[in-house]
Amino acid sequence: MRLENNLREFRFHHNEISQQDLANEVGVTRLTIHSIETGKFNPSTLLALKIAKFFNANLEDIFYLVEDEQEK
Amino acid sequence: MSKNKTIMRITNIIFGFLAVTLFIFNFFVLIRLQPKMINFEGISEFENGLLTAVGFNLLVILVFYLLSLWHFVRYLRNAEAIKPLPLFLVISGVLSLLFIFSDIALLTDIHKQYLNGLSQPEWRMVFPIMAGQFTVTLLFLFVQITDRYKIKSDHHPVRDINIFLILQYVGVISGVMGLALASLAFFFPSGWNLTTHGVLGGIVLLFPYGLALLYWLFTKFQEGDRQWFDEKQSQDIGKSALMTLIVTTLLMLILFISYLWNLSPVVQMVWLPIHLYATILIFSIGNLYLNKKG
């Protein structure tokens, strides 16, 4: 299973907030947000919760699990 | 534009014009003295004074490089991303700054060899290096005059990444040049001196890295967070550190085995510089690679 996310979509619906501004809000670097969006880095629970809190959304709305083809 | 930024910009431009003028003066003096020194003709006290002035001028030019680098780094701190051109300016500035020390060393050697009646092959290196530095000086002055890379705001990112990456780029430059300098000991064992090349060379080569490191530390204290890195950075630094440990251990092992039965004085002198520069180089490359990879 792997973790995927709708972060790009959430940013878009949040006045197209930039990666840097979101990074500033949750206290990480711009590249961390970029890596999460492109699925190259899985955030910690704390960071995922901070992001969800910022967007005033449920954690599962932003982050969700996807089953790998091999596991099916 | 705030008052401080205006003062800084004017200071940079003044130093820029001064640096260009001093370079022209240096070229004029060196072109005039080169044939005399090569042919071991006498040089007057006044000409000797001019040669001393050349060395002093190089120090003023060094100040201009430092001021320009300070400006570019401050610009990059607030920039959205590190774009190729500002990065090129930083790299060329660091190299030009390092070559100021090599200019001084070459001119000192030339003068000593002239006094002792020895040939001065160093002349072949002096002019191309200075021409490169002059080009960089003109470029920096152009950038300052056109105000191309303005420091947009004093609103820094909550957590820095750009200064950290610049530190890695400077680490690559210092690491590569340091390894090159240390490797010379294997090719010219009699000419390589521990005090001059090992200690003094090391101080010079690590000078820009030390400055970048200090500025990065300053940004960390400004951030005021107990954790210096975010989770992605911590992961990347951990991976780079592991890679550095493996590669430098292997490198030192190879060096140790190669000279196990024939411990030369060269290895006794250069093992620490090689270890130090290799560590900086591999750690910096690792961080840059992982950052690029995302």
Side-chain angles (χ1 to χ4, degrees), chain A residues 26-63:
Chain A
V26 295
V28 293
T29 66
R30 178 190 75 247
L31 285 165
T32 299
I33 298 296
H34 172 77
S35 300
I36 294 171
E37 263 186 32
T38 50
K40 288 173 182 166
F41 176 69
N42 290 337
S44 67
T45 317
L46 178 67
L47 179 56
L49 284 167
K50 276 185 184 176
I51 292 170
K53 190 181 171 194
F54 173 76
F55 287 119
N56 205 15
N58 289 324
L59 193 63
E60 298 83 356
D61 294 337
I62 305 175
F63 297 98

mmCIF file of all heavy atoms in Angstrom, chain A residues 26-63:
data_model
loop_
_atom_site.group_PDB
_atom_site.id
_atom_site.type_symbol
_atom_site.label_atom_id
_atom_site.label_comp_id
_atom_site.label_asym_id
_atom_site.label_seq_id
_atom_site.Cartn_x
_atom_site.Cartn_y
_atom_site.Cartn_z
ATOM 1 N N VAL A 26 2.861 25.623 7.823
ATOM 2 C CA VAL A 26 3.011 24.382 8.600
ATOM 3 C C VAL A 26 4.448 24.169 9.096
ATOM 4 O O VAL A 26 4.763 23.134 9.696
ATOM 5 C CB VAL A 26 2.506 23.137 7.811
ATOM 6 C CG1 VAL A 26 1.009 23.222 7.573
ATOM 7 C CG2 VAL A 26 3.243 22.960 6.504
ATOM 8 N N GLY A 27 5.313 25.136 8.826
ATOM 9 C CA GLY A 27 6.678 25.117 9.384
ATOM 10 C C GLY A 27 7.636 24.128 8.760
ATOM 11 O O GLY A 27 8.453 23.516 9.454
ATOM 12 N N VAL A 28 7.512 23.967 7.427
ATOM 13 C CA VAL A 28 8.484 23.112 6.731
ATOM 14 C C VAL A 28 9.066 23.881 5.553
ATOM 15 O O VAL A 28 8.694 25.030 5.310
ATOM 16 C CB VAL A 28 7.838 21.784 6.235
ATOM 17 C CG1 VAL A 28 7.427 20.908 7.394
ATOM 18 C CG2 VAL A 28 6.672 22.052 5.301
ATOM 19 N N THR A 29 9.950 23.227 4.800
ATOM 20 C CA THR A 29 10.517 23.907 3.626
ATOM 21 C C THR A 29 9.595 23.696 2.425
ATOM 22 O O THR A 29 8.800 22.744 2.400
ATOM 23 C CB THR A 29 11.912 23.361 3.264
ATOM 24 O OG1 THR A 29 11.770 22.013 2.846
ATOM 25 C CG2 THR A 29 12.864 23.440 4.429
ATOM 26 N N ARG A 30 9.772 24.576 1.448
ATOM 27 C CA ARG A 30 8.989 24.488 0.206
ATOM 28 C C ARG A 30 9.181 23.116 -0.456
ATOM 29 O O ARG A 30 8.245 22.518 -0.972
ATOM 30 C CB ARG A 30 9.493 25.599 -0.737
ATOM 31 C CG ARG A 30 8.856 25.661 -2.067
ATOM 32 C CD ARG A 30 9.619 26.628 -2.953
ATOM 33 N NE ARG A 30 10.882 26.077 -3.432
ATOM 34 C CZ ARG A 30 12.081 26.509 -3.086
ATOM 35 N NH1 ARG A 30 12.213 27.493 -2.242
ATOM 36 N NH2 ARG A 30 13.182 25.942 -3.555
ATOM 37 N N LEU A 31 10.420 22.609 -0.375
ATOM 38 C CA LEU A 31 10.710 21.338 -1.045
ATOM 39 C C LEU A 31 10.011 20.161 -0.392
ATOM 40 O O LEU A 31 9.718 19.166 -1.052
ATOM 41 C CB LEU A 31 12.230 21.124 -1.077
ATOM 42 C CG LEU A 31 12.918 22.012 -2.103
ATOM 43 C CD1 LEU A 31 14.408 22.047 -1.866
ATOM 44 C CD2 LEU A 31 12.624 21.534 -3.514
ATOM 45 N N THR A 32 9.761 20.265 0.899
ATOM 46 C CA THR A 32 9.041 19.178 1.581
ATOM 47 C C THR A 32 7.606 19.100 1.043
ATOM 48 O O THR A 32 7.109 18.012 0.740
ATOM 49 C CB THR A 32 9.057 19.404 3.105
ATOM 50 O OG1 THR A 32 10.409 19.401 3.526
ATOM 51 C CG2 THR A 32 8.286 18.337 3.849
ATOM 52 N N ILE A 33 6.977 20.260 0.884
ATOM 53 C CA ILE A 33 5.612 20.289 0.329
ATOM 54 C C ILE A 33 5.636 19.730 -1.096
ATOM 55 O O ILE A 33 4.793 18.908 -1.475
ATOM 56 C CB ILE A 33 5.047 21.742 0.343
ATOM 57 C CG1 ILE A 33 4.942 22.263 1.783
ATOM 58 C CG2 ILE A 33 3.687 21.801 -0.363
ATOM 59 C CD1 ILE A 33 3.966 21.532 2.689
ATOM 60 N N HIS A 34 6.627 20.146 -1.861
ATOM 61 C CA HIS A 34 6.752 19.674 -3.247
ATOM 62 C C HIS A 34 6.917 18.142 -3.274
ATOM 63 O O HIS A 34 6.271 17.459 -4.071
ATOM 64 C CB HIS A 34 7.960 20.353 -3.904
ATOM 65 C CG HIS A 34 8.288 19.817 -5.253
ATOM 66 N ND1 HIS A 34 7.573 20.152 -6.374
ATOM 67 C CD2 HIS A 34 9.241 18.928 -5.650
ATOM 68 C CE1 HIS A 34 8.075 19.505 -7.412
ATOM 69 N NE2 HIS A 34 9.096 18.762 -6.994
ATOM 70 N N SER A 35 7.774 17.634 -2.400
ATOM 71 C CA SER A 35 8.017 16.184 -2.374
ATOM 72 C C SER A 35 6.771 15.402 -1.941
ATOM 73 O O SER A 35 6.538 14.300 -2.421
ATOM 74 C CB SER A 35 9.177 15.853 -1.428
ATOM 75 O OG SER A 35 10.328 16.497 -1.863
ATOM 76 N N ILE A 36 5.992 15.980 -1.029
ATOM 77 C CA ILE A 36 4.756 15.307 -0.600
ATOM 78 C C ILE A 36 3.779 15.274 -1.786
ATOM 79 O O ILE A 36 3.201 14.228 -2.105
ATOM 80 C CB ILE A 36 4.113 16.038 0.609
ATOM 81 C CG1 ILE A 36 5.010 15.932 1.847
ATOM 82 C CG2 ILE A 36 2.722 15.449 0.920
ATOM 83 C CD1 ILE A 36 4.570 16.813 3.019
ATOM 84 N N GLU A 37 3.649 16.406 -2.443
ATOM 85 C CA GLU A 37 2.708 16.502 -3.579
ATOM 86 C C GLU A 37 3.035 15.519 -4.688
ATOM 87 O O GLU A 37 2.156 14.934 -5.296
ATOM 88 C CB GLU A 37 2.764 17.921 -4.159
ATOM 89 C CG GLU A 37 1.672 18.805 -3.643
ATOM 90 C CD GLU A 37 1.652 20.156 -4.337
ATOM 91 O OE1 GLU A 37 2.001 20.244 -5.524
ATOM 92 O OE2 GLU A 37 1.294 21.108 -3.650
ATOM 93 N N THR A 38 4.331 15.349 -4.941
ATOM 94 C CA THR A 38 4.732 14.447 -6.032
ATOM 95 C C THR A 38 4.853 13.000 -5.554
ATOM 96 O O THR A 38 5.273 12.130 -6.316
ATOM 97 C CB THR A 38 6.074 14.906 -6.642
ATOM 98 O OG1 THR A 38 7.001 15.105 -5.562
ATOM 99 C CG2 THR A 38 5.938 16.185 -7.419
ATOM 100 N N GLY A 39 4.483 12.762 -4.321
ATOM 101 C CA GLY A 39 4.465 11.394 -3.789
ATOM 102 C C GLY A 39 5.836 10.815 -3.504
ATOM 103 O O GLY A 39 5.997 9.603 -3.336
ATOM 104 N N LYS A 40 6.848 11.686 -3.426
ATOM 105 C CA LYS A 40 8.206 11.182 -3.182
ATOM 106 C C LYS A 40 8.538 11.123 -1.704
ATOM 107 O O LYS A 40 9.567 10.596 -1.306
ATOM 108 C CB LYS A 40 9.223 12.054 -3.921
ATOM 109 C CG LYS A 40 9.179 11.836 -5.414
ATOM 110 C CD LYS A 40 10.068 12.819 -6.122
ATOM 111 C CE LYS A 40 9.986 12.616 -7.621
ATOM 112 N NZ LYS A 40 10.570 13.724 -8.354
ATOM 113 N N PHE A 41 7.710 11.737 -0.897
ATOM 114 C CA PHE A 41 7.977 11.749 0.546
ATOM 115 C C PHE A 41 6.669 11.612 1.312
ATOM 116 O O PHE A 41 5.689 12.294 1.012
ATOM 117 C CB PHE A 41 8.673 13.076 0.922
ATOM 118 C CG PHE A 41 8.902 13.247 2.385
ATOM 119 C CD1 PHE A 41 9.828 12.456 3.057
ATOM 120 C CD2 PHE A 41 8.186 14.182 3.115
ATOM 121 C CE1 PHE A 41 10.031 12.604 4.420
ATOM 122 C CE2 PHE A 41 8.382 14.333 4.477
ATOM 123 C CZ PHE A 41 9.309 13.541 5.128
ATOM 124 N N ASN A 42 6.669 10.688 2.275
ATOM 125 C CA ASN A 42 5.487 10.507 3.118
ATOM 126 C C ASN A 42 5.629 11.347 4.375
ATOM 127 O O ASN A 42 6.581 11.169 5.135
ATOM 128 C CB ASN A 42 5.347 9.043 3.531
ATOM 129 C CG ASN A 42 4.953 8.170 2.357
ATOM 130 O OD1 ASN A 42 4.385 8.651 1.375
ATOM 131 N ND2 ASN A 42 5.266 6.894 2.435
ATOM 132 N N PRO A 43 4.691 12.256 4.612
ATOM 133 C CA PRO A 43 4.840 13.123 5.798
ATOM 134 C C PRO A 43 4.579 12.351 7.088
ATOM 135 O O PRO A 43 3.933 11.297 7.070
ATOM 136 C CB PRO A 43 3.748 14.176 5.586
ATOM 137 C CG PRO A 43 2.717 13.493 4.766
ATOM 138 C CD PRO A 43 3.457 12.540 3.880
ATOM 139 N N SER A 44 5.069 12.897 8.186
ATOM 140 C CA SER A 44 4.784 12.291 9.495
ATOM 141 C C SER A 44 3.314 12.564 9.835
ATOM 142 O O SER A 44 2.673 13.413 9.199
ATOM 143 C CB SER A 44 5.683 12.932 10.549
ATOM 144 O OG SER A 44 5.316 14.288 10.709
ATOM 145 N N THR A 45 2.814 11.868 10.847
ATOM 146 C CA THR A 45 1.423 12.081 11.262
ATOM 147 C C THR A 45 1.233 13.538 11.677
ATOM 148 O O THR A 45 0.229 14.164 11.339
ATOM 149 C CB THR A 45 1.102 11.160 12.462
ATOM 150 O OG1 THR A 45 1.657 9.884 12.198
ATOM 151 C CG2 THR A 45 -0.380 11.050 12.689
ATOM 152 N N LEU A 46 2.216 14.053 12.402
ATOM 153 C CA LEU A 46 2.120 15.433 12.889
ATOM 154 C C LEU A 46 1.976 16.421 11.729
ATOM 155 O O LEU A 46 1.100 17.288 11.733
ATOM 156 C CB LEU A 46 3.362 15.772 13.732
ATOM 157 C CG LEU A 46 3.422 17.201 14.274
ATOM 158 C CD1 LEU A 46 2.331 17.445 15.309
ATOM 159 C CD2 LEU A 46 4.787 17.490 14.877
ATOM 160 N N LEU A 47 2.849 16.262 10.711
ATOM 161 C CA LEU A 47 2.805 17.187 9.584
ATOM 162 C C LEU A 47 1.500 17.019 8.797
ATOM 163 O O LEU A 47 0.884 18.014 8.390
ATOM 164 C CB LEU A 47 4.031 16.965 8.675
ATOM 165 C CG LEU A 47 4.113 17.847 7.433
ATOM 166 C CD1 LEU A 47 4.053 19.335 7.800
ATOM 167 C CD2 LEU A 47 5.397 17.557 6.651
ATOM 168 N N ALA A 48 1.084 15.775 8.603
ATOM 169 C CA ALA A 48 -0.174 15.523 7.879
ATOM 170 C C ALA A 48 -1.344 16.193 8.610
ATOM 171 O O ALA A 48 -2.208 16.812 7.985
ATOM 172 C CB ALA A 48 -0.399 14.022 7.753
ATOM 173 N N LEU A 49 -1.329 16.086 9.928
ATOM 174 C CA LEU A 49 -2.403 16.710 10.725
ATOM 175 C C LEU A 49 -2.351 18.236 10.643
ATOM 176 O O LEU A 49 -3.378 18.902 10.566
ATOM 177 C CB LEU A 49 -2.307 16.258 12.192
ATOM 178 C CG LEU A 49 -2.801 14.831 12.462
ATOM 179 C CD1 LEU A 49 -2.376 14.376 13.849
ATOM 180 C CD2 LEU A 49 -4.322 14.738 12.323
ATOM 181 N N LYS A 50 -1.135 18.761 10.640
ATOM 182 C CA LYS A 50 -0.979 20.222 10.531
ATOM 183 C C LYS A 50 -1.545 20.708 9.197
ATOM 184 O O LYS A 50 -2.201 21.745 9.136
ATOM 185 C CB LYS A 50 0.509 20.600 10.616
ATOM 186 C CG LYS A 50 1.048 20.730 12.017
ATOM 187 C CD LYS A 50 2.487 21.224 11.920
ATOM 188 C CE LYS A 50 3.170 21.293 13.253
ATOM 189 N NZ LYS A 50 4.584 21.674 13.128
ATOM 190 N N ILE A 51 -1.242 19.953 8.132
ATOM 191 C CA ILE A 51 -1.727 20.341 6.796
ATOM 192 C C ILE A 51 -3.266 20.277 6.767
ATOM 193 O O ILE A 51 -3.924 21.208 6.284
ATOM 194 C CB ILE A 51 -1.097 19.426 5.705
ATOM 195 C CG1 ILE A 51 0.405 19.708 5.602
ATOM 196 C CG2 ILE A 51 -1.774 19.633 4.355
ATOM 197 C CD1 ILE A 51 1.177 18.721 4.745
ATOM 198 N N ALA A 52 -3.806 19.193 7.310
ATOM 199 C CA ALA A 52 -5.263 19.047 7.342
ATOM 200 C C ALA A 52 -5.907 20.182 8.143
ATOM 201 O O ALA A 52 -6.925 20.743 7.742
ATOM 202 C CB ALA A 52 -5.625 17.685 7.938
ATOM 203 N N LYS A 53 -5.275 20.521 9.255
ATOM 204 C CA LYS A 53 -5.807 21.600 10.101
ATOM 205 C C LYS A 53 -5.780 22.933 9.335
ATOM 206 O O LYS A 53 -6.725 23.726 9.412
ATOM 207 C CB LYS A 53 -4.968 21.700 11.382
ATOM 208 C CG LYS A 53 -5.580 22.610 12.428
ATOM 209 C CD LYS A 53 -4.711 22.697 13.652
ATOM 210 C CE LYS A 53 -5.248 23.771 14.579
ATOM 211 N NZ LYS A 53 -4.296 24.130 15.599
ATOM 212 N N PHE A 54 -4.692 23.147 8.615
ATOM 213 C CA PHE A 54 -4.595 24.403 7.863
ATOM 214 C C PHE A 54 -5.739 24.524 6.849
ATOM 215 O O PHE A 54 -6.337 25.583 6.687
ATOM 216 C CB PHE A 54 -3.236 24.504 7.147
ATOM 217 C CG PHE A 54 -3.151 25.675 6.230
ATOM 218 C CD1 PHE A 54 -2.965 26.962 6.738
ATOM 219 C CD2 PHE A 54 -3.322 25.535 4.856
ATOM 220 C CE1 PHE A 54 -2.935 28.067 5.892
ATOM 221 C CE2 PHE A 54 -3.288 26.625 4.012
ATOM 222 C CZ PHE A 54 -3.091 27.894 4.539
ATOM 223 N N PHE A 55 -6.042 23.414 6.153
ATOM 224 C CA PHE A 55 -7.107 23.451 5.148
ATOM 225 C C PHE A 55 -8.497 23.257 5.757
ATOM 226 O O PHE A 55 -9.485 23.206 5.029
ATOM 227 C CB PHE A 55 -6.847 22.376 4.078
ATOM 228 C CG PHE A 55 -5.722 22.711 3.154
ATOM 229 C CD1 PHE A 55 -4.594 21.905 3.076
ATOM 230 C CD2 PHE A 55 -5.769 23.851 2.359
ATOM 231 C CE1 PHE A 55 -3.549 22.209 2.225
ATOM 232 C CE2 PHE A 55 -4.724 24.162 1.498
ATOM 233 C CZ PHE A 55 -3.614 23.349 1.431
ATOM 234 N N ASN A 56 -8.516 23.084 7.080
ATOM 235 C CA ASN A 56 -9.777 22.850 7.782
ATOM 236 C C ASN A 56 -10.501 21.642 7.185
ATOM 237 O O ASN A 56 -11.707 21.692 6.892
ATOM 238 C CB ASN A 56 -10.637 24.127 7.692
ATOM 239 C CG ASN A 56 -11.621 24.196 8.830
ATOM 240 O OD1 ASN A 56 -11.486 23.464 9.808
ATOM 241 N ND2 ASN A 56 -12.624 25.051 8.696
ATOM 242 N N ALA A 57 -9.747 20.585 6.970
ATOM 243 C CA ALA A 57 -10.310 19.384 6.335
ATOM 244 C C ALA A 57 -9.975 18.156 7.172
ATOM 245 O O ALA A 57 -9.145 18.222 8.091
ATOM 246 C CB ALA A 57 -9.707 19.231 4.948
ATOM 247 N N ASN A 58 -10.640 17.061 6.843
ATOM 248 C CA ASN A 58 -10.298 15.800 7.503
ATOM 249 C C ASN A 58 -9.019 15.252 6.886
ATOM 250 O O ASN A 58 -8.786 15.424 5.679
ATOM 251 C CB ASN A 58 -11.415 14.769 7.311
ATOM 252 C CG ASN A 58 -12.630 15.129 8.115
ATOM 253 O OD1 ASN A 58 -12.518 15.650 9.227
ATOM 254 N ND2 ASN A 58 -13.795 14.883 7.536
ATOM 255 N N LEU A 59 -8.267 14.571 7.714
ATOM 256 C CA LEU A 59 -7.002 13.995 7.248
ATOM 257 C C LEU A 59 -7.213 13.111 6.018
ATOM 258 O O LEU A 59 -6.467 13.184 5.043
ATOM 259 C CB LEU A 59 -6.378 13.182 8.395
ATOM 260 C CG LEU A 59 -4.941 12.748 8.233
ATOM 261 C CD1 LEU A 59 -4.023 13.952 8.150
ATOM 262 C CD2 LEU A 59 -4.513 11.861 9.383
ATOM 263 N N GLU A 60 -8.294 12.282 6.083
ATOM 264 C CA GLU A 60 -8.551 11.315 5.003
ATOM 265 C C GLU A 60 -8.959 11.991 3.696
ATOM 266 O O GLU A 60 -8.877 11.381 2.632
ATOM 267 C CB GLU A 60 -9.658 10.316 5.399
ATOM 268 C CG GLU A 60 -9.348 9.458 6.603
ATOM 269 C CD GLU A 60 -9.660 10.168 7.917
ATOM 270 O OE1 GLU A 60 -10.044 11.356 7.903
ATOM 271 O OE2 GLU A 60 -9.481 9.534 8.969
ATOM 272 N N ASP A 61 -9.414 13.246 3.792
ATOM 273 C CA ASP A 61 -9.778 13.944 2.551
ATOM 274 C C ASP A 61 -8.528 14.329 1.766
ATOM 275 O O ASP A 61 -8.567 14.446 0.539
ATOM 276 C CB ASP A 61 -10.577 15.220 2.866
ATOM 277 C CG ASP A 61 -11.918 14.895 3.495
ATOM 278 O OD1 ASP A 61 -12.396 13.765 3.281
ATOM 279 O OD2 ASP A 61 -12.456 15.749 4.224
ATOM 280 N N ILE A 62 -7.462 14.552 2.495
ATOM 281 C CA ILE A 62 -6.218 14.965 1.823
ATOM 282 C C ILE A 62 -5.315 13.761 1.558
ATOM 283 O O ILE A 62 -4.786 13.598 0.466
ATOM 284 C CB ILE A 62 -5.454 16.013 2.676
ATOM 285 C CG1 ILE A 62 -6.374 17.195 2.995
ATOM 286 C CG2 ILE A 62 -4.203 16.500 1.935
ATOM 287 C CD1 ILE A 62 -5.770 18.226 3.915
ATOM 288 N N PHE A 63 -5.142 12.931 2.565
ATOM 289 C CA PHE A 63 -4.244 11.771 2.425
ATOM 290 C C PHE A 63 -5.064 10.480 2.416
ATOM 291 O O PHE A 63 -5.983 10.325 3.227
ATOM 292 C CB PHE A 63 -3.236 11.734 3.580
ATOM 293 C CG PHE A 63 -2.324 12.924 3.601
ATOM 294 C CD1 PHE A 63 -2.572 14.011 4.432
ATOM 295 C CD2 PHE A 63 -1.217 12.975 2.769
ATOM 296 C CE1 PHE A 63 -1.749 15.119 4.436
ATOM 297 C CE2 PHE A 63 -0.376 14.084 2.778
ATOM 298 C CZ PHE A 63 -0.641 15.161 3.612
#
